[in-house]
Amino acid sequence: MMPFAKGISAKSEMFNDQGEEVNSDYHRLMRIVEEAGYHGFVGIEYEGPQYPDRKGGVLATKRLLEKCMAELSKDFKA
């Protein structure tokens, strides 16, 4: 289905000490997104208890996505 996606959302609930989402392998998921050729926006949804203000959860998800994409850009340049 990914080649037909018009938009995607990164949903997160809980992060470990390394900033990784504990319920989803974002590195694997973002590789799928990249390999499918998707170049649109990624919406962020945070629904966990770790950051009660929600903004912290959104920012943690954004940092994780940026980390994943930086790793992917190295892989695709090589």
Side-chain angles (χ1 to χ4, degrees), residues 16-32:
N16 63 21
D17 293 339
Q18 292 77 39
E20 301 289 330
E21 216 289 331
V22 299
N23 299 307
S24 300
D25 183 349
Y26 269 80
H27 299 274
R28 182 179 67 84
L29 293 170
M30 294 312 293
R31 179 170 293 281
I32 292 168

Side-chain angles (χ1 to χ4, degrees), residues 2 8-9 18-19 32 42 49 51 61-62 64:
M2 193 60 228
I8 61 171
S9 293
Q18 292 77 39
I32 292 168
V42 178
Y51 299 96
T61 306
K62 181 177 183 273
L64 176 55

Side-chain angles (χ1 to χ4, degrees), residues 38-62:
Y38 180 80
H39 297 289
F41 291 99
V42 178
I44 297 175
E45 299 179 44
Y46 174 75
E47 299 178 355
Q50 197 169 8
Y51 299 96
D53 65 349
R54 305 275 188 230
K55 182 178 179 181
V58 169
L59 293 174
T61 306
K62 181 177 183 273

